Every structure is written in structure tokens, then in C-alpha cells.
Amino acid sequence: MPDPSPAPMVADHPVRPLAETFALPEQADWQALAEKTLKGTAFDKLITRTLDGLTLQPLYPPATARVPVRAAPAEDVQRPWDLRMRVDHPDPSEANRLALNELENGAASLHLCLDPSGETGICALDQDQLAVVLDGVLLDLAPVSLEAGWYAPEAANALAVLAKGAPEARLGLDFDPISLMLTTGTAPGGYDLQLGRCLQTAMRHAAAYPKASLFAPSGRVVHEAGGTDVQELALAFASLLHYARTLIGDGLDPAEAFARQTLTLTADTDYFAGLAKLRAARLLYAKLLTAHGLSAATPQIRVHSSRRMLSPLDPWSNLLRLSLSGFAAAVGGATTVMLDAFTQPLGLADDFARRLSRNTQLILMEEAHLGRVADPAGGSGYLESFSLDLARAVWPRLQALSTDAGLMAAVVSGTLQTEVETARQARETAIRTRRQGLIGVSEFADLHSRPVEVLSVDVAALAFTPAQTPITTPDTVVAPLGASRLSAPFEVLRAAAAALPAGSARVQTHTLGTPADYTARLMFARNLFAAGGLESDEAPAPLAVLCSTDALYDEAGEAAVRMLLSQGARTVWIAGHPKALGADLSERLQQAGASGFIYMGMDIVSALETAHTLLSEVAA
């Protein structure tokens, strides 16, 4: 204990810093305590690896370095980032109503999705059509960004004309032909032609709108296809370099060529990884500027909520996912945040879903006060190390893609797509084995969740085909990176369950002993079958599952299996891992008639497919 005599006095009481009364523990002391609770299990068992191969330790020492994020809290703590809302209703007039409603109720900016076919956005493209959408929107106050596919140059020209009286407008022309080519699999007339159209349009409006974002290099297409954080960052920064060189080659100042781009990333439910990804992005941006002889600057980072994390199954759980992604984006230092509606996988969002999307950010801003601290993650040994590890893993990949030839070769040859597909398969395996759980889907599925509403629009009455200049040059064709939802395998299973005759999508669960004996495995079994859309109860069914302890299986399991078969079950499974039960007991249960086991770590999608096959054969 330190000598208390020299401690300062406040109201006749000594003031002594609490930390001074405790010894500072060493890393070895923490590890010793952790190993004590493991009861013989090796400490290394707590070490995990990401799909990028990065090691995550169970314990970290205090951070010795800081990844720069923000130097100070936002000037306006009530508005620490730009709350941007997507407007994609096919009807231009209705889109205008939605745009004004968003701005009047808390949004700071708009993201217009334009699509003449009406399939993915507003049926608008030219100046007159866009004028309807933006009627009443003050472009000098509310930033507007565009997403218009290969029609992006035409849409950008229309927006620039409408903003003619607002030279300070922060327009988002946001060209990204690389991501678009990877999404669609084709660049009409060739990639060089499409890049040239974007560049020509960007340079035409760069001087007139000095605050406009010209390009928006993104890694979202990689993320939505199942890629990793390192793969997403690598594509985003390779695209950033590619576009910067293109702008510089056309006469733009190097510093401006970087500053006039908006880096676009995603955030999902893994908020620690999201925090680290955004911090790594700032570190990489600073290193790139330094490598080009430029002064360090803060990048504009727009974060979209992940779509692969959303599910049409129990869509209410999407509200939790969106809140987590919004938290990661805000704490990670995003300058602009866009959250989808929780009903996005089911269709066009109504006013209620849009309000929840908007208010989620408002709560994070104005009630959680996430803007009051410059860098809440700063100093954490875990997050500082994770951020640096991510940046270091991205750098060699970025070097390989840093030349225009290297980037295009990776895309055209399919090397990039193959790497993403490998990551997607690894992620799907983790989901099928529930090493990565999906709340409301593979975990705690609610088969009777309250339905949600989405809008139905007669797109055919609004769609049009814009006039185009004939293209004579050949297309660039690449392997597309198709978006995939994490819940996709379970969506197929739920649809199969819904197709069964009424009352057939059901499994019998039979127990032995007291609730203390069977509850854990019974809940595991019911949770597993619910993930496939199957109810479970004690009534006889073609598929029966026996749930109890290993000891009771040894004592009465064989008789229970025979009884279930005699009562009409065509197949009996045992809740428990055959290796844990032991070879002798497992063999005896199978000789009695059991044909399968369900347990933690198994491929539950395969098990559920087998169950569906059995139930459909019986129903037929």
C-alpha cells in the first residue's frame, strides 16, 4: 500500500487514486487465472482464426500503438455522421414523397436508386424525370448520391443540371464501374468504354461542383458474395487507386483525385470486426497518401448495412442485425451510414419499415450519444491489434492489385472471384454446422412469427427503355459475383416444410428420465428441427428423436428405440454425439433400430434435408 500521508484532502477526507492500491497484473497473471477456469483444457483452445487466417487471442496486453480514427468528437454530437436514406420506389412521384418524408423526419441526405426497368429502383433517368423525384429537395442542404447501374453517366448529367443553382451541393456522382462489372458480369461495349464515359462525366462536373464525390470505390460486391473483410478492403482500395490514377491522368490534382472519392464498405452483425475494418481502412488510406507524397487526410467512408446478413425468415430479427451494423459503423468512424429496411429481403419497404430504419440511427445518435467520444475503441489491445492485423493482411493483396493491369487481370481471369467463392464456401460450412449461428434462422427459429408488410407496385406501367447510342465495341465479360444471403440454405428448407401437407411438417421428440435429464438435448433437438421449419412434440410421427442422458441411453435406450419403431416411427435418431456415447453404446442403439445421431457441430442442413425427404415420402 502506498503511504497515505501525502494524499490531498477534500472536505477533511484524503483523496487517493483507486488504481494505486492495486498491483498492475502481468499478462502471465491473467493467463494463469484463465487456465485455472479451463480445468485442464489447453489455453490455446481459446484462440480462434478468422476466415482471413488472422489469429484472435483470448487475452491481449494493453495497446502500445493507436490506429488514428478521429482526433476529436464530432462538432455536432447530435449529428456525428451523415444519416443517409435509400429511395428506390419505382414511381417517381411516390419516390418524391418518400424523399421529402425522410428529410423532414431526421435523414440528412438521400441515396437515389435509379432503374428504368423499375426492378431495383426509381423509373427515372433524365432531367425531367429526376426533377419529379427531387421536387422540393434543397440540393445545397441535402446531399444526394446516385446509383444507376450502367446509366450512371446519364443520371449524373441530369442531377448536375438540376443542381445548377447550388454550386456548393455535395452531389454523389459515385461512379464505380469495377463493382458494377463484377455484379452484372458484363461491361457493355467493354470496360474501357464504360470507364471513359464515367471519367468524362466526372471531369465535366468536377470544377462546377467542387464538393461533389466523383467515384465511390467499393468492396460491397465482395462482401455480399460471401467474401472476407480483407478481400473487401483489398478490392475497395485497389479500385480507389485505379480511379485516382484515372482522374490524375485526365488532369486532376493528385490530392483532389483521392479526396473526391467516397470509400464504400459494409458493416454486419460482427461489430468488433466492423470496427476493426473501418479503423484499418483509415490506416490504409493514410499509408496510400503518404506513398504518393501527399499529406495525411481523413477519408470519406460510407458504410452500408450488410444485405447478406438479412433474412426473410423471422424478419423482425433483422432489426437487431441492423442495429449492430449501425453501431459498428458509427463507432468505427463512418462519415455516412445507410441502413436497409428490416423487410428488405421480402420486397419494397413501406413507411413503417423505413421509419424504423431511420430511427435506428437517430437513437444511436441522439440517445446513445455515439458521437460524444472520438474513438471509443481506441486503446483496446484487442481492437488495436485486430485493426493493425487487418491492414497488414490487406497491404500485400493491395500491392498485387495496385496496377491497373493487376486489378483487371484478377477480375477478368476470375482469380478474385475464385478467392471469394472459397471464402463463401467456408462461411457456409460454418453456418451449416452452426459454428456461426443465425438468430431467428438456425438458432431460436420462430415458426409463427408475425408477418410483415411490403409494398406491391405495378412496375410494368412505369418501366421504360431509354434511348442509347449504339455500341460497336465488344463487351467485357467476367464471372459475376452473385450476392448470397447467409440464411439461403434454411430458406430452402422452410419452403420445403411449407410445401408438405398440413400436419406433416412435424417430428416426434421422446424423452427418458426427469426434466433435468433430458431438457438440454430436447431443447437442442427442437431448435434444430425448427431451423428446417419442422415442429416437434411427443405425438407419434414418421421421424422420432430420443432425448436423454448417456447413462439413461445405456440403461433404457435400446428398449425406447424399439418402442418408437413399434408405434409407427420409420426412423429413430438419437440426440447425442456417437463418439461421446462410446462405440459400444452407439452400436447397441443402432442394432436396436436407431439410424442416426444429432449433435453439436454436425451439418444440420444435411440432417434436415434427410428429415424432409423422409417426411415427404411418407406424405406422398
Side-chain angles (χ1 to χ4, degrees), residues 220-280:
R220 289 183 63 215
V221 62
V222 163
H223 174 91
E224 301 298 357
T228 67
D229 293 331
V230 169
Q231 291 168 345
E232 179 184 357
L233 287 168
L235 177 62
F237 276 94
S239 300
L240 174 74
L241 273 174
H242 174 60
Y243 298 146
R245 291 194 182 104
T246 301
L247 290 166
I248 293 169
D250 217 47
L252 207 62
D253 176 78
E256 190 175 3
F258 282 95
R260 300 292 290 273
Q261 299 189 63
T262 299
L263 194 65
T264 309
L265 301 170
T266 55
D268 58 16
T269 55
D270 190 344
Y271 51 87
F272 283 126
L275 286 172
K277 179 164 61 177
L278 294 181
R279 292 162 61 80

Side-chain angles (χ1 to χ4, degrees), residues 386-514:
F386 195 1
S387 302
L388 287 168
D389 286 348
L390 267 177
R392 288 167 179 155
V394 171
W395 193 251
R397 290 173 178 261
L398 179 57
Q399 288 178 313
L401 299 173
S402 61
T403 65
D404 295 344
L407 175 59
M408 294 309 298
V411 172
V412 173
S413 69
T415 302
L416 183 148
Q417 295 92 318
T418 299
E419 291 180 356
V420 173
E421 174 60 19
T422 299
R424 186 198 65 77
Q425 291 177 1
R427 193 182 305 279
E428 182 175 332
T429 297
I431 290 170
R432 292 172 69 100
T433 56
R434 292 202 288 190
R435 292 199 305 273
Q436 179 179 346
L438 304 177
I439 300 298
V441 179
S442 65
E443 304 282 358
F444 311 109
D446 183 359
L447 300 184
H448 306 286
S449 64
R450 183 161 59 93
V452 299
E453 296 182 2
V454 293
L455 300 179
S456 178
V457 181
D458 182 8
V459 175
L462 300 165
F464 66 94
T465 302
Q468 286 184 288
T469 302
I471 297 176
T472 58
T473 51
D475 299 346
T476 298
V477 179
V478 303
L481 279 176
S484 62
R485 284 196 295 266
L486 301 181
S487 64
F490 299 96
E491 294 171 30
V492 175
L493 291 167
R494 297 283 190 94
L500 289 170
S504 299
R506 193 177 57 78
V507 174
Q508 178 184 4
T509 49
H510 184 75
T511 59
L512 296 175
T514 66

